[in-house]
Amino acid sequence: MSFAYCGTRALIMGGTCQMALDLARALIDRKIMPIQTYRSPRGREAIEAALRDRSGQYAVCPLDLARPETLGRLDEHLNRGLDYMVDFAQEDLEGFVASVDPAAMRAYLETNIAGRTAVMQRVARTMLAGLFGRMVH
């Protein structure tokens, strides 16, 4: 199957996983600038090591869905426009629902539902302003 790409910038949430890094390389080959998100300095180092041969052809952005104050870091990238968002940022909550600690459940929902929704709102506004956009989850 062949896809036609008509944008130039893509936000990749969870940009440190192998699928995200492989996608970044494929996007760069198609002249699309990937913006890889990461949560920790170790994550940034992993991105830079994996994409060392593509220096200057990608961007990085610190983003931690559990820390709403990091959402503002997206703004510098969103202000330049955004055509795609691909979401690889996933956490696991292991255990039977009835036995999961209520505080752990609240934290999981706050991060993975509320945090993700806050990002999607910002991204959607940017895409609406540009009259184009695609989100893949």
Side-chain angles (χ1 to χ4, degrees):
M1 179 180 291
S2 178
F3 293 100
Y5 298 97
C6 55
T8 59
R9 297 173 53 79
L11 176 67
I12 302 179
M13 292 174 49
T16 60
C17 76
Q18 190 59 54
M19 286 178 61
L21 295 168
D22 291 342
L23 176 62
R25 283 187 202 87
L27 291 173
I28 291 168
D29 290 346
R30 288 166 180 79
K31 307 293 188 247
I32 298 172
M33 166 77 79
I35 304 156
Q36 308 289 110
T37 68
Y38 63 92
R39 279 193 290 196
S40 69
R42 199 169 94 200
R44 182 182 182 134
E45 291 167 6
I47 292 168
E48 291 173 350
L51 299 177
R52 183 169 287 122
D53 63 326
R54 309 294 177 102
S55 181
Q57 298 177 305
Y58 68 93
V60 293
C61 179
L63 177 66
D64 185 343
L65 296 176
R67 297 177 49 222
E69 67 273 12
T70 67
L71 288 175
R73 304 237 175 128
L74 286 171
D75 292 343
E76 86 174 73
H77 300 287
L78 297 179
N79 290 338
R80 295 181 193 150
L82 192 68
D83 303 298
Y84 304 98
M85 181 187 90
V86 181
D87 185 0
F88 290 109
Q90 305 295 321
E91 278 188 19
D92 292 325
L93 180 65
E94 298 292 331
F96 296 111
V97 172
S99 65
V100 172
D101 176 59
M105 179 63 79
R106 273 191 301 281
Y108 176 83
L109 294 173
E110 190 68 31
T111 298
N112 292 283
I113 305 299
R116 184 167 277 103
T117 299
V119 170
M120 288 188 327
Q121 285 178 318
R122 287 173 182 248
V123 168
R125 288 181 190 128
T126 298
M127 290 176 172
L128 284 170
L131 300 177
F132 177 79
R134 301 285 184 262
M135 293 185 197
V136 179
H137 299 274

mmCIF file of all heavy atoms in Angstrom, residues 11 18 20-21 24 40 42 46 49 53 55 64 71 74 80 85-86 94 100-101 113 118 125-126 129 131-133 135:
data_model
loop_
_atom_site.group_PDB
_atom_site.id
_atom_site.type_symbol
_atom_site.label_atom_id
_atom_site.label_comp_id
_atom_site.label_asym_id
_atom_site.label_seq_id
_atom_site.Cartn_x
_atom_site.Cartn_y
_atom_site.Cartn_z
ATOM 1 N N LEU A 11 4.786 15.103 15.018
ATOM 2 C CA LEU A 11 5.077 14.895 16.428
ATOM 3 C C LEU A 11 4.978 13.407 16.721
ATOM 4 O O LEU A 11 3.964 12.778 16.401
ATOM 5 C CB LEU A 11 4.066 15.656 17.295
ATOM 6 C CG LEU A 11 4.194 15.455 18.806
ATOM 7 C CD1 LEU A 11 5.497 16.080 19.312
ATOM 8 C CD2 LEU A 11 2.997 16.082 19.517
ATOM 9 N N GLN A 18 11.481 1.700 19.859
ATOM 10 C CA GLN A 18 12.074 1.300 18.582
ATOM 11 C C GLN A 18 11.170 1.620 17.395
ATOM 12 O O GLN A 18 11.643 2.068 16.351
ATOM 13 C CB GLN A 18 12.432 -0.189 18.597
ATOM 14 C CG GLN A 18 13.272 -0.604 17.407
ATOM 15 C CD GLN A 18 14.582 0.166 17.321
ATOM 16 O OE1 GLN A 18 15.353 0.208 18.260
ATOM 17 N NE2 GLN A 18 14.849 0.785 16.185
ATOM 18 N N ALA A 20 9.046 4.058 17.159
ATOM 19 C CA ALA A 20 9.100 5.503 16.949
ATOM 20 C C ALA A 20 10.393 5.913 16.248
ATOM 21 O O ALA A 20 10.388 6.781 15.378
ATOM 22 C CB ALA A 20 8.959 6.226 18.282
ATOM 23 N N LEU A 21 11.484 5.287 16.625
ATOM 24 C CA LEU A 21 12.771 5.597 15.993
ATOM 25 C C LEU A 21 12.798 5.135 14.543
ATOM 26 O O LEU A 21 13.317 5.838 13.664
ATOM 27 C CB LEU A 21 13.905 4.971 16.801
ATOM 28 C CG LEU A 21 14.068 5.547 18.208
ATOM 29 C CD1 LEU A 21 15.010 4.683 19.039
ATOM 30 C CD2 LEU A 21 14.548 6.989 18.163
ATOM 31 N N ALA A 24 10.732 7.580 12.617
ATOM 32 C CA ALA A 24 11.468 8.824 12.408
ATOM 33 C C ALA A 24 12.365 8.724 11.175
ATOM 34 O O ALA A 24 12.399 9.634 10.349
ATOM 35 C CB ALA A 24 12.293 9.160 13.649
ATOM 36 N N SER A 40 12.928 11.570 29.910
ATOM 37 C CA SER A 40 14.101 11.680 30.775
ATOM 38 C C SER A 40 15.346 11.971 29.931
ATOM 39 O O SER A 40 15.344 11.746 28.720
ATOM 40 C CB SER A 40 14.314 10.360 31.530
ATOM 41 O OG SER A 40 14.708 9.351 30.621
ATOM 42 N N ARG A 42 17.894 10.223 29.776
ATOM 43 C CA ARG A 42 18.278 8.950 29.152
ATOM 44 C C ARG A 42 17.506 8.722 27.851
ATOM 45 O O ARG A 42 18.048 8.206 26.877
ATOM 46 C CB ARG A 42 18.041 7.807 30.135
ATOM 47 C CG ARG A 42 18.818 6.566 29.775
ATOM 48 C CD ARG A 42 18.771 5.563 30.880
ATOM 49 N NE ARG A 42 17.672 4.656 30.583
ATOM 50 C CZ ARG A 42 17.078 3.882 31.459
ATOM 51 N NH1 ARG A 42 17.436 3.892 32.712
ATOM 52 N NH2 ARG A 42 16.113 3.093 31.101
ATOM 53 N N ALA A 46 18.998 8.317 24.061
ATOM 54 C CA ALA A 46 18.656 7.178 23.201
ATOM 55 C C ALA A 46 18.245 7.649 21.810
ATOM 56 O O ALA A 46 18.634 7.058 20.800
ATOM 57 C CB ALA A 46 17.541 6.347 23.835
ATOM 58 N N ALA A 49 21.378 8.934 19.980
ATOM 59 C CA ALA A 49 22.246 7.832 19.566
ATOM 60 C C ALA A 49 21.660 7.101 18.362
ATOM 61 O O ALA A 49 22.375 6.776 17.411
ATOM 62 C CB ALA A 49 22.462 6.852 20.723
ATOM 63 N N ASP A 53 23.085 9.570 12.671
ATOM 64 C CA ASP A 53 23.367 9.759 11.244
ATOM 65 C C ASP A 53 22.368 10.697 10.566
ATOM 66 O O ASP A 53 22.530 11.030 9.395
ATOM 67 C CB ASP A 53 23.399 8.412 10.525
ATOM 68 C CG ASP A 53 22.070 7.690 10.567
ATOM 69 O OD1 ASP A 53 21.347 7.818 11.579
ATOM 70 O OD2 ASP A 53 21.752 6.980 9.594
ATOM 71 N N SER A 55 21.504 13.770 11.983
ATOM 72 C CA SER A 55 21.663 15.017 12.735
ATOM 73 C C SER A 55 21.111 16.208 11.953
ATOM 74 O O SER A 55 21.360 16.350 10.760
ATOM 75 C CB SER A 55 23.146 15.234 13.050
ATOM 76 O OG SER A 55 23.309 16.410 13.790
ATOM 77 N N ASP A 64 6.337 14.858 29.483
ATOM 78 C CA ASP A 64 5.965 13.821 30.432
ATOM 79 C C ASP A 64 4.482 13.998 30.715
ATOM 80 O O ASP A 64 4.079 14.981 31.349
ATOM 81 C CB ASP A 64 6.796 13.954 31.712
ATOM 82 C CG ASP A 64 6.541 12.837 32.702
ATOM 83 O OD1 ASP A 64 5.523 12.135 32.575
ATOM 84 O OD2 ASP A 64 7.363 12.673 33.619
ATOM 85 N N LEU A 71 3.797 20.386 29.243
ATOM 86 C CA LEU A 71 3.027 20.602 28.012
ATOM 87 C C LEU A 71 3.459 21.863 27.268
ATOM 88 O O LEU A 71 3.434 21.900 26.044
ATOM 89 C CB LEU A 71 1.531 20.677 28.309
ATOM 90 C CG LEU A 71 0.849 19.387 28.688
ATOM 91 C CD1 LEU A 71 -0.601 19.648 29.068
ATOM 92 C CD2 LEU A 71 0.926 18.386 27.560
ATOM 93 N N LEU A 74 5.814 21.882 24.236
ATOM 94 C CA LEU A 74 5.343 21.574 22.884
ATOM 95 C C LEU A 74 5.140 22.836 22.051
ATOM 96 O O LEU A 74 5.217 22.789 20.823
ATOM 97 C CB LEU A 74 4.011 20.820 22.935
ATOM 98 C CG LEU A 74 4.020 19.375 23.359
ATOM 99 C CD1 LEU A 74 2.597 18.877 23.547
ATOM 100 C CD2 LEU A 74 4.749 18.535 22.327
ATOM 101 N N ARG A 80 5.225 26.292 14.872
ATOM 102 C CA ARG A 80 5.766 26.176 13.507
ATOM 103 C C ARG A 80 4.848 25.354 12.608
ATOM 104 O O ARG A 80 5.166 25.120 11.451
ATOM 105 C CB ARG A 80 7.140 25.520 13.552
ATOM 106 C CG ARG A 80 8.162 26.354 14.273
ATOM 107 C CD ARG A 80 9.492 25.668 14.265
ATOM 108 N NE ARG A 80 10.376 26.329 15.208
ATOM 109 C CZ ARG A 80 11.334 25.728 15.858
ATOM 110 N NH1 ARG A 80 11.550 24.437 15.678
ATOM 111 N NH2 ARG A 80 12.085 26.388 16.696
ATOM 112 N N MET A 85 0.596 13.555 14.006
ATOM 113 C CA MET A 85 0.957 13.157 15.359
ATOM 114 C C MET A 85 0.785 11.647 15.436
ATOM 115 O O MET A 85 -0.256 11.113 15.041
ATOM 116 C CB MET A 85 0.072 13.806 16.415
ATOM 117 C CG MET A 85 0.491 13.402 17.836
ATOM 118 S SD MET A 85 -0.639 13.966 19.108
ATOM 119 C CE MET A 85 -1.745 12.555 19.170
ATOM 120 N N VAL A 86 1.814 10.974 15.906
ATOM 121 C CA VAL A 86 1.755 9.517 16.093
ATOM 122 C C VAL A 86 2.047 9.265 17.560
ATOM 123 O O VAL A 86 3.039 9.756 18.102
ATOM 124 C CB VAL A 86 2.769 8.784 15.188
ATOM 125 C CG1 VAL A 86 2.658 7.281 15.383
ATOM 126 C CG2 VAL A 86 2.547 9.166 13.729
ATOM 127 N N GLU A 94 -0.707 -2.988 35.396
ATOM 128 C CA GLU A 94 -0.841 -4.435 35.564
ATOM 129 C C GLU A 94 -1.651 -4.765 36.803
ATOM 130 O O GLU A 94 -1.500 -4.124 37.833
ATOM 131 C CB GLU A 94 0.543 -5.080 35.687
ATOM 132 C CG GLU A 94 1.409 -4.909 34.468
ATOM 133 C CD GLU A 94 0.918 -5.660 33.259
ATOM 134 O OE1 GLU A 94 0.277 -6.705 33.419
ATOM 135 O OE2 GLU A 94 1.175 -5.192 32.137
ATOM 136 N N VAL A 100 -6.332 -3.356 42.050
ATOM 137 C CA VAL A 100 -5.393 -2.261 41.788
ATOM 138 C C VAL A 100 -5.581 -1.175 42.844
ATOM 139 O O VAL A 100 -6.713 -0.809 43.175
ATOM 140 C CB VAL A 100 -5.612 -1.684 40.372
ATOM 141 C CG1 VAL A 100 -4.799 -0.421 40.153
ATOM 142 C CG2 VAL A 100 -5.268 -2.710 39.317
ATOM 143 N N ASP A 101 -4.487 -0.685 43.354
ATOM 144 C CA ASP A 101 -4.520 0.394 44.330
ATOM 145 C C ASP A 101 -5.243 1.605 43.724
ATOM 146 O O ASP A 101 -4.902 2.031 42.613
ATOM 147 C CB ASP A 101 -3.085 0.769 44.707
ATOM 148 C CG ASP A 101 -3.029 1.953 45.641
ATOM 149 O OD1 ASP A 101 -3.615 1.863 46.744
ATOM 150 O OD2 ASP A 101 -2.399 2.961 45.263
ATOM 151 N N ILE A 113 -5.075 9.349 30.253
ATOM 152 C CA ILE A 113 -6.298 9.895 29.657
ATOM 153 C C ILE A 113 -6.233 11.424 29.661
ATOM 154 O O ILE A 113 -6.243 12.051 28.603
ATOM 155 C CB ILE A 113 -7.559 9.399 30.403
ATOM 156 C CG1 ILE A 113 -7.605 7.868 30.456
ATOM 157 C CG2 ILE A 113 -8.812 9.986 29.761
ATOM 158 C CD1 ILE A 113 -7.668 7.173 29.123
ATOM 159 N N ALA A 118 -4.929 16.520 26.910
ATOM 160 C CA ALA A 118 -4.372 17.874 26.879
ATOM 161 C C ALA A 118 -3.433 18.061 25.685
ATOM 162 O O ALA A 118 -3.458 19.107 25.026
ATOM 163 C CB ALA A 118 -3.633 18.160 28.189
ATOM 164 N N ARG A 125 -5.759 21.946 17.754
ATOM 165 C CA ARG A 125 -5.884 23.382 17.463
ATOM 166 C C ARG A 125 -4.869 23.812 16.407
ATOM 167 O O ARG A 125 -5.184 24.589 15.512
ATOM 168 C CB ARG A 125 -5.701 24.190 18.740
ATOM 169 C CG ARG A 125 -6.866 24.067 19.683
ATOM 170 C CD ARG A 125 -6.658 24.916 20.934
ATOM 171 N NE ARG A 125 -7.692 24.581 21.892
ATOM 172 C CZ ARG A 125 -7.457 24.237 23.150
ATOM 173 N NH1 ARG A 125 -6.209 24.199 23.613
ATOM 174 N NH2 ARG A 125 -8.448 23.949 23.963
ATOM 175 N N THR A 126 -3.655 23.294 16.522
ATOM 176 C CA THR A 126 -2.628 23.613 15.537
ATOM 177 C C THR A 126 -3.015 23.084 14.164
ATOM 178 O O THR A 126 -2.881 23.783 13.157
ATOM 179 C CB THR A 126 -1.272 23.019 15.978
ATOM 180 O OG1 THR A 126 -0.898 23.620 17.219
ATOM 181 C CG2 THR A 126 -0.187 23.261 14.949
ATOM 182 N N ALA A 129 -5.855 25.123 12.617
ATOM 183 C CA ALA A 129 -5.360 26.405 12.096
ATOM 184 C C ALA A 129 -4.669 26.223 10.749
ATOM 185 O O ALA A 129 -4.742 27.084 9.882
ATOM 186 C CB ALA A 129 -4.414 27.053 13.103
ATOM 187 N N LEU A 131 -5.434 23.843 8.641
ATOM 188 C CA LEU A 131 -6.431 23.221 7.759
ATOM 189 C C LEU A 131 -6.014 21.826 7.279
ATOM 190 O O LEU A 131 -6.455 21.358 6.238
ATOM 191 C CB LEU A 131 -6.738 24.115 6.548
ATOM 192 C CG LEU A 131 -7.287 25.494 6.893
ATOM 193 C CD1 LEU A 131 -7.464 26.300 5.627
ATOM 194 C CD2 LEU A 131 -8.596 25.411 7.675
ATOM 195 N N PHE A 132 -5.144 21.164 8.057
ATOM 196 C CA PHE A 132 -4.747 19.812 7.721
ATOM 197 C C PHE A 132 -4.165 19.159 8.960
ATOM 198 O O PHE A 132 -3.570 19.815 9.800
ATOM 199 C CB PHE A 132 -3.676 19.782 6.613
ATOM 200 C CG PHE A 132 -3.204 18.388 6.291
ATOM 201 C CD1 PHE A 132 -3.953 17.541 5.486
ATOM 202 C CD2 PHE A 132 -2.032 17.898 6.853
ATOM 203 C CE1 PHE A 132 -3.535 16.264 5.225
ATOM 204 C CE2 PHE A 132 -1.597 16.603 6.583
ATOM 205 C CZ PHE A 132 -2.359 15.785 5.775
ATOM 206 N N GLY A 133 -4.307 17.844 9.056
ATOM 207 C CA GLY A 133 -3.677 17.108 10.129
ATOM 208 C C GLY A 133 -4.183 15.700 10.236
ATOM 209 O O GLY A 133 -5.321 15.398 9.872
ATOM 210 N N MET A 135 -3.862 12.264 13.078
ATOM 211 C CA MET A 135 -3.395 11.697 14.343
ATOM 212 C C MET A 135 -3.532 10.183 14.268
ATOM 213 O O MET A 135 -4.568 9.676 13.845
ATOM 214 C CB MET A 135 -4.216 12.215 15.524
ATOM 215 C CG MET A 135 -4.059 13.669 15.817
ATOM 216 S SD MET A 135 -4.967 14.088 17.308
ATOM 217 C CE MET A 135 -5.051 15.851 17.159
#
